[in-house]
Amino acid sequence: LAKTTQPISMDSYEGQEVNITCSHNNIATNDYITWYQQFPSQGPRFIIQGYKTKVTNEVASLFIPADRKSSTLSLPRVSLSDTAVYYCLVGEFRGGGADGLTFGKGTHLIIQP
Amino acid sequence: EPEVTQTPSHQVTQMGQEVILRCVPISNHLYFYWYRQILGQKVEFLVSFYNNEISEKSEIFDDQFSVERPDGSNFTLKIRSTKLEDSAMYFCASRKPGQGETQYFGPGTRLLVL
């Protein structure tokens, strides 16, 4: 899996849009970009995955520039319940050998009232 | 929406005892995983399993650990002789075959070794 760099923590307020950027300069051609969310004492939860350009689902949007060396997770109108750790992972996710996920420390997002 | 389930949610054991953690992956998934997270630390990969055999294992997954898929639905992690440092949350995950498919995690089992 490609090495990723993301901020250790971020603060925001309810109703705001939050953007978390992840750098992955060594991303390979076959690599996907995946974001997970983790609440305390719970398992990581898949949020969104993309390969290039923009992906949007009911939870978030993922923006990937043409060079794919970074990506930005965008959470629209956050609420207190979005307080969690957010992980950016980059890899082929192809199954079989060598596909255990490597989690970094993630970004601890704190939403205040 | 299908989910990965794990039992028990909490387990307390004495050092040196054997524990078995159970997982029911999502039914059409073929790849299975165990991870652990020591309190306040990162989620760490332990082992992946496919076609009734281990695909990959980390350095953490030493001889005291074993995995098994005893039937068509359960996936278990056995710790033969628990140590104090095995205290952690243990997460099971599963995924469908195919490139780009993501892993879905269970709620975890909190293991406390006394």
Side-chain angles (χ1 to χ4, degrees):
Chain A
L1 293 175
K3 180 175 168 56
T4 60
T5 302
Q6 52 184 123
I8 293 174
S9 64
M10 292 181 68
D11 294 312
S12 188
Y13 294 91
E14 281 192 294
Q16 299 295 305
E17 177 185 81
V18 171
N19 296 309
I20 306 174
T21 297
C22 178
S23 298
H24 29 81
N25 291 318
N26 296 323
I27 190 168
T29 303
N30 294 332
D31 285 345
Y32 289 76
I33 300 157
T34 305
W35 286 80
Y36 283 85
Q37 174 193 56
Q38 187 181 29
F39 298 113
S41 298
Q42 295 188 28
R45 183 175 78 103
F46 169 77
I47 302 175
I48 198 166
Q49 183 181 72
Y51 183 80
K52 60 181 179 180
T53 62
K54 177 185 173 183
V55 180
T56 296
N57 62 21
E58 64 278 6
V59 176
S61 294
L62 179 59
F63 298 92
I64 306 168
D67 66 6
R68 303 201 326 125
K69 292 183 183 300
S70 66
S71 59
T72 298
L73 174 72
S74 181
L75 304 172
R77 299 186 59 79
V78 294
S79 64
L80 296 176
S81 62
D82 291 315
T83 294
V85 180
Y86 292 81
Y87 300 98
C88 166
L89 288 85
V90 174
E92 285 191 50
F93 307 111
R94 56 180 166 78
D99 74 333
L101 298 178
T102 300
F103 286 83
K105 294 184 178 179
T107 296
H108 190 187
L109 175 65
I110 299 172
I111 306 301
Q112 301 181 41
Chain B
E1 184 177 327
E3 293 180 335
V4 176
T5 59
Q6 291 185 242
T7 55
S9 58
H10 294 79
Q11 178 145 6
V12 181
T13 190
Q14 296 290 325
M15 189 170 56
Q17 295 297 302
E18 174 184 285
V19 296
I20 298 176
L21 310 183
R22 292 182 168 81
C23 168
V24 179
I26 296 172
S27 62
N28 62 344
H29 288 190
L30 299 181
Y31 295 89
F32 313 115
Y33 308 82
W34 284 102
Y35 293 82
R36 80 172 185 191
Q37 186 174 32
I38 296 170
L39 185 64
Q41 299 188 24
K42 298 186 289 186
V43 176
E44 300 174 290
F45 167 72
L46 293 178
V47 65
S48 60
F49 191 86
Y50 171 71
N51 200 26
N52 285 320
E53 61 181 23
I54 291 174
S55 298
E56 182 193 15
K57 57 183 181 179
S58 71
E59 293 178 351
I60 303 168
F61 194 88
D62 61 23
D63 291 344
Q64 69 162 340
F65 292 95
S66 63
V67 290
E68 190 178 33
R69 187 156 164 82
D71 54 43
S73 59
N74 290 284
F75 180 51
T76 62
L77 174 69
K78 182 191 292 186
I79 309 175
R80 256 180 282 279
S81 177
T82 51
K83 305 175 189 142
L84 297 176
E85 55 265 36
D86 293 328
S87 295
M89 284 286 284
Y90 288 82
F91 298 110
C92 173
S94 69
R95 56 168 281 174
K96 291 191 289 189
Q99 187 148 4
E101 292 293 338
T102 59
Q103 295 180 25
Y104 291 86
F105 286 74
T109 293
R110 182 177 295 283
L111 176 66
L112 179 60
V113 182
L114 301 176

